[in-house]
Amino acid sequence: MSDHPSCIDISHWQGFPDFEDVAAQGVVACIMKATEGTSYIDPNRATNYVNATAAGIACCTYHWIKPGNAAKQMEFYLSVVDPVGGERMVIDYEEDGLRLQELLEAVEVLKADPRELQVTVYSGHLLKEQLGTDCNDYLAENTDLWLAQYTDGTPSWPSGTYPHWTLWQYSESGEVDGIDDTNVDLNRFDGDNDELVRWISPAGFAPPKPPEPEPSEAVIVDITAPTNLPVLVTVNGAEVQQRRRRPRLRVPRGPDLR
């Protein structure tokens, strides 16, 4: 399994990464913790979101749901993130004591939002044990699965509700240049990088590519050509206007011409 994935997920534990270095390793997507419970806001998310997007990395957020008050937790999540239309919202469903009904209630709140949000459920053994081989039609129709399972082989999942995972967190101890932490979560998407960017971005949108850096030095090109030969110069596909210089005639100089 590659230690340089196309998608990572982070929280304040990873500090403030250098996203230029992160992107240089092929990371095109990042999921960031936004909130937890009904009062906790990740202090690094807003800054990291701006910096990651500027580096050309597509981003979305997740909420760590706790037992009780599922609807209020989602209202808090929405108020903090203030998502745009079609934005992807992720419910981190893993804490002991959570009940399936609480997950369903949380999804209902997000799906009822008029901004037509996309909803993903992150979970591992907890949801696997609660669903078993049964199919929960509401989850199947309104969410997709981000599976947490740390294994070297193909992850296992009951096919009742989700025929297949969409995103797979296969490691919680990765190392990524630009992040001063040896416990970075690494993920694999069920598709190529272009599909991953479309999936993680708001529906119908993709993040703009970062602007080309300004050159630090002038580029000098010296060409020698016959004086009677037309020369056409293009730079980055655009024609450059040239001043044609007439050849100077050598005039003999004598004492009377000085």
Side-chain angles (χ1 to χ4, degrees):
M1 186 70 63
S2 172
D3 285 333
H4 297 287
S6 54
C7 180
I8 61 174
D9 60 277
I10 64 172
S11 69
H12 68 281
W13 293 109
Q14 282 72 50
F16 296 97
D18 184 331
F19 286 103
E20 296 290 345
D21 285 350
V22 173
Q25 296 171 86
V27 174
V28 300
C30 181
I31 305 175
M32 302 181 183
K33 182 176 183 178
T35 49
E36 178 178 331
T38 57
S39 60
Y40 178 81
I41 300 174
D42 190 293
N44 296 12
R45 191 266 311 177
T47 297
N48 282 338
Y49 200 103
V50 170
N51 292 340
T53 302
I57 298 175
C59 301
C60 71
T61 64
Y62 73 86
H63 172 90
W64 179 294
I65 189 170
K66 302 182 74 65
N69 300 317
K72 288 184 178 181
Q73 291 187 60
M74 292 303 100
E75 291 167 2
F76 173 61
Y77 181 25
L78 290 169
S79 70
V80 171
V81 174
D82 191 19
V84 300
E87 187 165 331
R88 182 166 298 282
M89 311 289 282
V90 180
I91 303 170
D92 186 330
Y93 184 76
E94 61 177 295
E95 186 165 318
D96 290 340
L98 283 164
R99 297 175 294 107
L100 186 60
Q101 184 56 40
E102 292 174 309
L103 175 61
L104 296 174
E105 182 180 349
V107 174
E108 288 174 356
V109 172
L110 296 182
K111 295 302 294 185
D113 189 277
R115 287 167 286 194
E116 298 183 346
L117 305 173
Q118 305 176 85
V119 181
T120 295
V121 175
Y122 167 92
S123 194
H125 70 88
L126 177 63
L127 187 59
K128 186 183 295 187
E129 292 167 1
Q130 291 178 344
L131 289 176
T133 58
D134 295 334
C135 179
N136 185 287
D137 292 334
Y138 185 79
L139 289 179
E141 294 171 5
N142 292 282
T143 71
D144 53 11
L145 175 64
W146 175 12
L147 174 63
Q149 184 175 342
Y150 311 134
T151 177
D152 292 331
T154 302
S156 58
W157 179 261
S159 59
T161 297
Y162 299 100
H164 195 58
W165 50 267
T166 299
L167 190 65
W168 168 27
Q169 186 185 90
Y170 63 85
S171 175
E172 60 178 350
S173 56
E175 296 184 25
V176 178
D177 289 348
I179 301 179
D180 295 330
D181 185 24
T182 57
N183 295 295
V184 181
D185 294 335
L186 310 180
N187 303 277
R188 169 175 289 182
F189 183 72
D190 184 27
D192 60 30
N193 281 357
D194 290 339
E195 292 170 323
L196 167 58
V197 169
R198 287 194 296 271
W199 175 81
I200 207 171
S201 302
F205 296 89
K209 293 183 178 180
E212 293 291 332
E214 293 291 333
S216 58
E217 297 181 358
V219 178
I220 300 175
V221 180
D222 188 8
I223 301 175
T224 302
T227 58
N228 62 344
L229 180 67
V231 177
L232 176 63
V233 178
T234 62
V235 177
N236 296 330
E239 183 177 349
V240 178
Q241 296 290 335
Q242 297 292 309
R243 291 184 178 180
R244 300 191 60 184
R245 301 177 62 186
R246 295 182 179 180
R248 293 182 178 181
L249 298 178
R250 288 183 174 271
V251 178
R253 292 182 180 272
D256 56 335
L257 299 177
R258 290 179 181 171

